[in-house]
Amino acid sequence: MRSVRIWFNKKDTAKYISHLDMTRCMTRAFRRTDIPLWYTEGFNPHPYLVFGLSLPLGVEALREPLDIRLNDDNYPMERVVEQLNSVMVPGMEFLEIAEPVHKALEIFKGEYSVEIPTSSPKELCEKIKYTVENETITFEKKTKKKTFKTINVSEHLSDFRAVYHEDKVMLYFNLPAGNDLTINPVSFCNKLFEMIGEENILHRITRHRLLMKDGTEFR
């Protein structure tokens, strides 16, 4: 049995596939191929599919990990990518496959960008930068025990940048995305836009990659 890690992206309409539906989608895709996927044992066998980190609904991703196990150690790894891309839904593409380097529990942060189309980019950019630099951004997060706790995003936000172009504003930042704490970039953006009086502003969020605690890329 061989453990491998596949990297894929999720764009366009595929960003609206929930994490639960994503698991179902992947399972169906594997069943349409001849990939010798390993199944768990017991009364209800199911394919071994482990995502590095769930992706919030509506967020695009450029490089997401999926761990699988192969029953055949000699099955060509490059064929896994070819087979999956031939049956995958529009908006998703498998990029590469390799032996896992890190454990999923070592994921610490997510690296994000936000694209905001606007007719007044400089003004909007300055409002956003002022709010992030001078105000405390908090929101309520539901816990596993169905209670709520206040999350101070400002304490955990890192590498924040806001730049404007001719017809848009681009935000770049890192947020916790680990076992101890995960901050949803959608919740952060919604609260930020509420604070600047732009609750209904159009925006596009993308997760570029996952990072380790030391800032290096999760592999």
Side-chain angles (χ1 to χ4, degrees):
M1 184 171 59
R2 184 181 189 184
S3 297
V4 295
R5 181 165 289 159
I6 318 172
W7 299 89
F8 66 94
N9 59 31
K10 185 182 179 187
K11 302 178 180 179
D12 304 323
T13 56
K15 68 184 179 182
Y16 297 112
I17 300 175
S18 69
H19 183 66
L20 180 59
D21 287 337
M22 172 73 74
T23 302
R24 295 168 178 161
C25 176
M26 291 291 188
T27 300
R28 288 195 297 267
F30 274 100
R31 286 174 177 166
R32 296 190 185 110
T33 71
D34 63 7
I35 298 171
L37 191 64
W38 180 80
Y39 280 69
T40 61
E41 301 175 352
F43 292 105
N44 184 29
H46 59 272
Y48 181 85
L49 302 173
V50 179
F51 293 89
L53 189 70
S54 60
L55 191 67
L57 191 67
V59 176
E60 296 188 332
L62 302 184
R63 188 173 174 80
E64 295 294 297
L66 170 65
D67 289 355
I68 66 171
R69 290 176 181 172
L70 301 176
N71 270 327
D72 183 358
D73 291 348
N74 297 316
Y75 191 87
M77 288 208 298
E78 63 275 8
R79 183 168 171 76
V80 174
V81 173
E82 294 173 0
Q83 287 272 295
L84 288 173
N85 280 333
S86 69
V87 298
M88 190 45 61
V89 298
M92 290 182 61
E93 179 185 10
F94 285 87
L95 308 172
E96 64 175 289
I97 184 171
E99 302 286 347
V101 176
H102 305 117
K103 296 180 180 179
L105 289 176
E106 296 181 81
I107 296 173
F108 189 71
K109 288 185 177 181
E111 182 181 86
Y112 302 92
S113 70
V114 181
E115 180 180 343
I116 312 169
T118 177
S119 58
S120 53
K122 183 178 180 180
E123 178 185 350
L124 180 60
C125 186
E126 290 177 348
K127 286 170 63 176
I128 289 174
K129 287 199 292 186
Y130 179 85
T131 300
V132 172
E133 293 171 0
N134 297 280
E135 298 187 32
T136 300
I137 303 173
T138 64
F139 64 83
E140 297 296 310
K141 180 179 180 180
K142 194 173 185 178
T143 68
K144 294 180 180 179
K145 297 181 179 180
K146 308 301 181 181
T147 59
F148 289 88
K149 67 176 181 179
T150 301
I151 300 296
N152 186 340
V153 185
S154 300
E155 290 182 347
H156 303 284
L157 183 69
S158 61
D159 297 302
F160 181 87
R161 291 188 297 122
V163 296
Y164 65 89
H165 303 278
E166 183 178 348
D167 59 352
K168 64 183 177 182
V169 172
M170 292 296 301
L171 310 181
Y172 303 93
F173 54 85
N174 296 341
L175 283 175
N179 192 49
D180 295 330
L181 175 65
T182 294
I183 295 180
N184 190 322
V186 177
S187 299
F188 163 64
C189 288
N190 289 343
K191 184 61 179 182
L192 174 61
F193 299 151
E194 176 188 327
M195 292 175 68
I196 65 173
E198 299 282 357
E199 291 93 337
N200 299 317
I201 195 169
L202 294 175
H203 59 286
R204 179 181 182 183
I205 306 177
T206 302
R207 184 154 75 194
H208 291 251
R209 56 181 183 157
L210 299 172
L211 304 174
M212 310 278 285
K213 192 170 185 177
D214 61 3
T216 58
E217 185 175 359
F218 173 78
R219 298 290 301 178

